[in-house]
Amino acid sequence: MKKRTVLRDVAQLAGVSEMTASRALRDAPDVSEATREKVREIAERLGYVPNRIAGALSSRSSNLVGVVVPSLSSFVFPEVLAGISQGLKDSPLKPVVSVTGYDLDEEEGVIRELLSWRPSGLIVAGLEHTDAARAMLGSAGCPVVEIMDTDGEPVEHCVGISHLDAGREMAETLLGCGYRKIGFIGTKMARDFRAQKRLSGFVERLKQSGHALADQELYDGQSSIETGRDLTARMLERSRGLDCIYYSSDVMSVGGYMHCLASGLEVPRDIALAGFNDLQILRGLPLELATTDAHRFEIGEAAAEIVLTRQRQRGDAEPVRKLLHPTVSKGNSLAPKT
């Protein structure tokens, strides 16, 4: 665990007293603009976060574990949170959740706010952050666990799956069934780095086999059953020769299945469908859709265990890198082509 950046560090580099540095960061009127800008620049570079636990509590941590996720509107992250809650259940630590909307600037502000309350740990979805957010995570002074993704360089601890491998394995599965004219439908693709990586791995594996995507629809909005249904209808209308569609999420694949039911298309005879996340919503369908289990509950539980273990340890310890393996399920929406 790296040493927490404190006000003294900022003041020393700025060549001012701690009191002046504090006033500069609070926009006090008796500090020159030049000093204020210098102190702010150094504070941001060091990842310094003001301490809101006053007086004698300022050197201690709260019993809060900050959890930063991009969304609660889908079924994905609530299961991660359930795993975190389960992992912390028998400890005095309690999770506090903040949502970023897949916005890295919003994530930076959320991390700053959570760290200002001196949490006992911080669990953050994803490996991509602004430079300022990464600096704050690197000098947080508490265990930091990045979750869901392992394709990148973590700040400290990390637990998740390789989304590149998830895409590759689904491509391998579809190719093994004989599908060659494959479309891809994804949402939030400009902001969802994990979905981007799955698509990259998927396309890479197709290319290695001498194939390419027959069509793709990269939608900027949120995943929903309605969106999945509409985009599937649009894709099948313009690409009539498709034999399979791969979706960035199960919610979208359910929408695709709804379109097929309404249009009289038989799955997988007329069109094969595959999604991602192995959501509970798939259990209630008349046909079991192909998907990939990303082990969301296990990821949350493991992240909580890392926070608890590192909190109990004294001194520096080697960062934990825990890789879980995505598991493809063919369901009944894929079948070998004859």
Side-chain angles (χ1 to χ4, degrees):
M1 185 189 310
K2 295 182 179 178
K3 177 180 176 292
R4 176 183 295 144
T5 301
V6 296
L7 183 61
R8 184 184 307 111
D9 301 323
V10 177
Q12 286 177 347
L13 280 178
V16 299
S17 67
E18 288 186 51
M19 184 175 294
T20 298
S22 177
R23 287 201 297 265
L25 293 171
R26 287 186 285 109
D27 284 330
D30 57 345
V31 179
S32 71
E33 185 60 28
T35 299
R36 184 180 292 110
E37 289 181 3
K38 183 177 182 181
V39 169
R40 283 177 178 172
E41 185 278 325
I42 291 170
E44 181 170 333
R45 175 157 49 86
L46 294 181
Y48 172 74
V49 179
N51 188 357
R52 293 189 179 177
I53 301 179
L57 295 179
S58 63
S59 62
R60 299 173 57 187
S61 296
S62 67
N63 281 337
L64 304 177
V65 175
V67 182
V68 183
V69 296
S71 173
L72 291 177
S73 61
S74 71
F75 299 90
V76 175
F77 292 101
E79 193 165 347
V80 177
L81 299 178
I84 293 171
S85 296
Q86 178 65 30
L88 297 177
K89 185 178 68 172
D90 296 326
S91 80
L93 304 185
K94 303 299 178 187
V96 176
V97 181
S98 292
V99 179
T100 68
Y102 289 92
D103 184 324
L104 293 187
D105 290 330
E106 178 66 18
E107 181 194 71
E108 178 185 320
V110 162
I111 289 171
R112 181 177 289 106
E113 186 66 21
L114 287 173
L115 288 176
S116 73
W117 292 99
R118 296 298 183 255
S120 291
L122 193 62
I123 299 172
V124 183
L127 298 174
E128 287 77 20
H129 318 285
T130 66
D131 290 342
R134 193 170 181 87
M136 287 187 284
L137 294 174
S139 60
C142 67
V144 171
V145 188
E146 289 161 288
I147 60 171
M148 310 300 287
D149 191 3
T150 60
D151 298 311
E153 186 58 38
V155 172
E156 188 178 15
H157 310 295
C158 178
V159 55
I161 68 166
S162 165
H163 288 263
L164 286 167
D165 283 348
R168 292 175 185 128
E169 291 189 22
M170 182 55 78
E172 186 73 31
T173 298
L174 300 184
L175 291 169
C177 288
Y179 299 113
R180 298 295 182 265
K181 297 178 181 179
I182 304 170
F184 175 83
I185 296 178
T187 58
K188 303 183 296 293
M189 296 301 293
R191 295 168 289 156
D192 188 341
F193 298 104
R194 292 173 292 283
Q196 290 177 23
K197 292 171 185 177
R198 289 197 299 277
L199 177 57
S200 294
F202 188 77
V203 170
E204 171 195 298
R205 184 63 189 89
L206 291 182
K207 185 177 180 180
Q208 289 171 351
S209 297
H211 304 286
L213 279 178
D215 196 358
Q216 65 178 14
E217 187 78 43
L218 306 182
Y219 180 67
D220 190 51
Q222 296 286 330
S223 296
S224 71
I225 292 175
E226 180 182 13
T227 300
R229 180 172 177 170
D230 291 344
L231 295 183
T232 299
R234 183 188 306 174
M235 179 171 285
L236 291 179
E237 177 64 25
R238 68 171 180 252
S239 299
R240 296 180 180 270
L242 290 182
D243 53 20
C244 181
I245 300 177
Y246 177 39
Y247 299 85
S248 63
S249 71
D250 287 337
V251 172
M252 298 291 287
S253 71
V254 170
Y257 181 50
M258 294 299 104
H259 168 75
C260 293
L261 289 177
S263 303
L265 296 174
E266 184 176 332
V267 179
R269 188 194 66 185
D270 298 321
I271 184 75
L273 306 175
F276 178 82
N277 264 319
D278 194 23
L279 299 180
Q280 285 294 324
I281 192 175
L282 300 183
R283 308 294 183 269
L285 299 177
L287 180 75
E288 184 181 354
L289 297 181
T291 187
T292 298
D293 185 355
H295 307 295
R296 299 176 308 285
F297 184 89
E298 293 88 340
I299 286 172
E301 199 170 31
E305 180 58 33
I306 291 170
V307 169
L308 291 173
T309 301
R310 287 300 184 261
Q311 189 199 37
R312 291 191 293 262
Q313 291 176 338
R314 300 287 183 179
D316 294 332
E318 286 297 314
V320 176
R321 306 282 195 266
K322 185 167 185 178
L323 173 65
L324 302 177
H325 297 284
T327 306
V328 174
S329 171
K330 292 183 180 179
N332 302 119
S333 65
L334 302 180
K337 295 192 68 177
T338 57

